[in-house]
Amino acid sequence: MRPASLCVHEPHADPEWLHAHITPIAATTTYAYEDPEHLRQLFTGERSGYVYSRWSNPTVVAAEEKLATLEACGLCDDQGQPLRLKARLFGSGMAAISTLMLAFVGPGRKIVTQHNLYGGSHELLLQVLRPLGIDVVMLHLKDLAQVERELQQNAALLYVETPSNPTLECYDLASLAALARSCGVPMAVDNTFATPLLQQPLACGANAVVYSATKFLNGHGNAVTGALIFHPNEELEKRVFMLAKLLGNNSNAFEAWLLLNGLKTLAVRMERHCRNALQVATLLHRHPAVQRVYYPGLPDHPDHPLVRRQMKDFGAMISFELRGGWSAARKFLQRLRLCRMAVSLGTTDTLVQHPASMSHAGVDPDLRRAAGITDGLVRMSVGLEDANDLAEDLTQALNAAE
């Protein structure tokens, strides 16, 4: 070949790269083959392999397989064999949630869920899916009789977020799953706050789990990804693949690679996150500027007994109500020095935000207040710093907010 051709063409792949200690980044958009019959079989599904990275990518698949294995860890199927799950990685948590809902629900059917959802999920349901002819019913999911009535009336999905964002309300997954199963309705759970290390919804009877993998699963705030994990089902797998392929909401190799590396420290991070959060929640509970603390690890949290049964630890998310409302919240946020004011959560450093004016600003104010999101509510994702440093920073900021 002449120089111009040499510049353009790739060298022949060295199969030894597959032995790399750390999963490599397959930074390619498409995949080349010598035999047209091979490529035809890939397109028809007669043969497995890679065609185009919007459809699938080796690095992305490695992350999907790791997530599926992690979610199934310690669980068995009805025959007592280790549980095998299917995972799909997306470009964001919202991409995973929207694909989940479109995979399970069509026009004329109904989604039953809760009032106190993450703001993006709330807006998706009411501003996107409802205008498409999908009914949305938001209930208090602790009223099982009311939930059952709604599930019996043309429901296609029960969607649960526990612990809820941002009020940390927790729901009995086993009871809800049993109720959904009796009504022939699948149940999906947003498990972002807990991660599979603290809570396994599929062990409680859920059919699918969804994550904003941007958060604790990645843990470093450097990649936006989402994941949908479910029991293998040929029809559902085809539906999820079709939606991901045609909506183009897939993840990419680089962010999948960052997720894979973040997952390596998930266990040690969650241990430290939880330990720090309990100390911070105890401090907040005792401070006179704080009217109420929402943290399931505190004995006075109404869901504390449930969480002790359902989760392995209490998580790193805390919300608290300041007595002075928005004025106090503003002063508190302005005085923070170590803790950072930012949306998102699950990073190594402590992030603090004001839901009413940030993450849930797009939710109708009346619905927001009905869900307990007041102007004095502050949400905190407790990081991995020294707990004493966190205590000092929070105390000085709270003192200024009194």
Side-chain angles (χ1 to χ4, degrees):
M1 287 189 289
R2 292 171 175 79
S5 298
L6 286 171
C7 289
V8 168
H9 282 268
E10 294 286 326
H12 289 293
D14 182 354
E16 290 300 310
W17 77 274
L18 295 173
H19 299 289
H21 173 56
I22 301 298
T23 303
I25 303 172
T28 182
T29 58
T30 192
Y31 303 83
Y33 297 89
E34 302 295 330
D35 182 5
E37 176 62 16
H38 188 167
L39 201 54
R40 185 196 69 79
Q41 291 173 351
L42 291 173
F43 269 91
T44 60
E46 299 170 50
R47 190 168 182 170
S48 62
Y50 300 99
V51 174
Y52 187 57
S53 281
R54 174 163 54 83
W55 296 20
S56 191
N57 173 284
T59 312
V60 173
V61 168
E64 290 171 342
E65 291 176 348
K66 187 161 189 173
L67 289 171
T69 303
L70 187 61
E71 194 69 40
C73 186
L75 305 183
C76 295
D77 61 20
D78 294 337
Q79 285 72 47
Q81 298 300 311
L83 187 63
R84 296 181 66 84
L85 299 174
K86 185 72 177 178
R88 182 81 191 188
L89 197 65
F90 295 89
S92 68
M94 286 307 304
I97 293 168
S98 58
T99 301
L100 160 75
M101 293 181 176
L102 291 172
F104 279 94
V105 189
R109 301 299 302 281
K110 178 170 63 179
I111 297 173
V112 177
T113 189
Q114 65 212 61
H115 287 287
N116 49 349
L117 285 169
Y118 163 60
S121 301
H122 195 286
E123 292 181 66
L124 170 69
L125 287 164
L126 299 186
Q127 299 181 29
V128 178
L129 298 185
R130 184 173 277 175
L132 293 178
I134 295 173
D135 190 16
V136 178
V137 176
M138 294 180 169
L139 308 173
H140 194 288
L141 294 185
K142 292 180 180 178
D143 186 342
L144 296 183
Q146 188 180 23
V147 173
E148 183 175 23
R149 285 194 298 272
E150 291 295 342
L151 290 176
Q152 291 173 339
Q153 299 173 24
N154 201 36
L157 179 67
L158 173 60
Y159 182 74
V160 185
E161 181 184 286
T162 183
S164 69
N165 181 0
T167 55
L168 282 298
E169 191 166 15
C170 301
Y171 299 103
D172 187 335
L173 291 177
S175 295
L176 288 168
L179 191 60
R181 188 164 51 250
S182 71
C183 297
V185 178
M187 183 176 92
V189 178
D190 184 337
N191 200 38
T192 298
F193 276 15
T195 80
L197 268 66
L198 304 188
Q199 180 172 262
Q200 290 176 289
L202 296 179
C204 299
N207 300 87
V209 182
V210 69
Y211 290 97
S212 173
T214 308
K215 312 304 194 297
F216 292 103
L217 295 181
N218 171 282
H220 294 79
N222 57 11
V224 177
T225 50
L228 172 59
I229 305 168
F230 51 93
H231 294 283
N233 174 294
E234 186 175 354
E235 183 180 346
L236 181 59
E237 287 179 42
K238 287 181 178 178
R239 177 77 174 159
V240 169
F241 173 70
M242 186 254 318
L243 287 166
K245 181 179 73 170
L246 298 181
L247 294 177
N249 55 13
N250 56 294
S251 183
N252 63 72
F254 181 61
E255 301 211 343
W257 181 80
L258 289 170
L259 173 61
L260 279 166
N261 282 277
L263 284 168
K264 292 178 184 295
T265 60
L266 178 62
V268 292
R269 284 189 286 108
M270 291 310 296
E271 182 179 348
R272 179 65 172 263
H273 277 305
C274 293
R275 186 168 70 245
N276 277 358
L278 183 58
Q279 293 183 50
V280 167
T282 302
L283 179 151
L284 293 169
H285 191 262
R286 295 171 178 168
H287 199 282
V290 178
Q291 182 175 332
R292 182 178 180 183
V293 179
Y294 298 87
Y295 183 66
L298 293 176
D300 66 350
H301 190 286
D303 300 321
H304 182 74
L306 167 66
V307 175
R308 289 185 68 88
R309 297 193 309 271
Q310 188 167 282
M311 294 176 63
K312 297 179 179 68
D313 210 327
F314 302 109
M317 299 303 300
I318 302 171
S319 288
F320 54 97
E321 187 80 33
L322 290 168
R323 295 186 187 280
W326 166 235
S327 176
R330 185 174 65 250
K331 291 176 185 176
F332 170 78
L333 293 169
Q334 289 172 336
R335 284 297 297 266
L336 290 172
R337 296 293 176 265
L338 178 65
C339 304
R340 306 298 301 275
M341 183 173 60
V343 295
S344 197
L345 55 103
T347 57
T348 56
D349 55 338
T350 297
L351 300 182
V352 184
Q353 66 115 337
H354 181 249
S357 64
M358 299 176 192
S359 61
H360 290 69
V363 177
D364 180 90
D366 291 335
L367 295 176
R368 199 166 59 218
R369 284 188 288 271
I373 304 170
T374 66
D375 289 345
L377 188 74
V378 174
R379 192 193 74 183
M380 177 184 301
S381 170
V382 181
L384 309 182
E385 300 94 340
D386 186 293
N388 293 317
D389 289 334
L390 289 174
E392 289 174 6
D393 189 37
L394 291 169
T395 298
Q396 63 85 22
L398 288 168
N399 290 341
E402 283 190 89

